[in-house]
Amino acid sequence: MEKKIAIGCDHGGFEMKNELVDFLKELGFEVGDFGIVEKVSVDYPVIAQKVANAVASGDYPLGILVCGTGIGMSLAANKVKGIRAAACSEVYSAKFTRMHNNSNILCLGGRVIGPETAKIMVEAFVTTEFEGGRHERRVDMIDAIEKGETL
Ligand code: RB5
């Protein structure tokens, strides 16, 4: 997978996002920073939509979103067609949401976990590939729901 990643945050995830930008660059990623670039109060759906569109368009294979809990970002990002955003707080979920769900955005809570835990989770997320097989069928079912089909 191309070593490119989109990242964004609100005020609840500002410090963590900046640490993750540096960390991802150390890992050799080209990082598209969709803000915020100074700590001001912003509405997380605005940033979630920017990063989700960047991933859904194919400009970036993966994305990271950080807010206070990771939940608001995931709810908003998942409204964009083609996005599978997972709010995670530990490394097992961060790894398996790539392997089994083919998630393309990892959402983190800057007020929930510390930066070192976040780095371990991000590294697992960006280095793990989708397993396919039986999981492909299930991800296809998620796509079908998105299209309004009844399973
Ligand atoms: C902002 O205070 C907070 O609501 C936001 O960062 C996020 O946690 C929402 O899910």
Side-chain angles (χ1 to χ4, degrees):
M1 190 181 287
E2 210 183 353
K3 286 192 106 176
K4 268 180 92 177
I5 195 156
I7 193 165
C9 69
D10 72 355
H11 49 287
F14 180 68
E15 289 84 2
M16 182 177 285
K17 185 268 289 178
N18 288 338
E19 286 211 39
L20 292 176
V21 168
D22 292 342
F23 179 66
L24 284 159
K25 285 180 180 169
E26 280 167 26
L27 291 181
F29 278 79
E30 180 190 327
V31 181
D33 187 348
F34 288 79
I36 49 178
V37 295
E38 60 183 67
K39 195 167 182 181
V40 290
S41 181
V42 291
D43 298 326
Y44 60 82
V46 174
I47 305 294
Q49 188 179 42
K50 286 183 203 283
V51 169
N53 283 341
V55 173
S57 69
D59 287 347
Y60 293 85
L62 295 175
I64 307 280
L65 284 164
V66 193
C67 63
T69 59
I71 296 171
M73 286 293 198
S74 67
L75 294 176
N78 277 317
K79 295 296 179 190
V80 174
K81 195 171 179 306
I83 292 303
R84 290 173 299 279
C88 300
S89 299
E90 34 67 39
V91 68
Y92 182 90
S93 300
K95 183 177 179 67
F96 276 77
T97 200
R98 285 284 307 126
M99 280 172 72
H100 287 187
N101 314 127
N102 200 13
S103 284
N104 46 19
I105 296 185
L106 177 67
C107 301
L108 301 169
R111 296 171 182 160
V112 179
I113 58 169
E116 297 310 315
T117 298
K119 287 178 198 170
I120 291 168
M121 291 170 65
V122 164
E123 186 161 11
F125 186 76
V126 300
T127 56
T128 302
E129 296 292 333
F130 179 46
E131 245 179 32
R134 68 187 187 282
H135 302 295
E136 183 102 60
R137 183 178 75 247
R138 293 162 185 164
V139 172
D140 287 348
M141 287 176 165
I142 297 174
D143 291 344
I145 294 172
E146 193 173 67
K147 289 180 191 140
E149 295 170 15
T150 302
L151 301 179

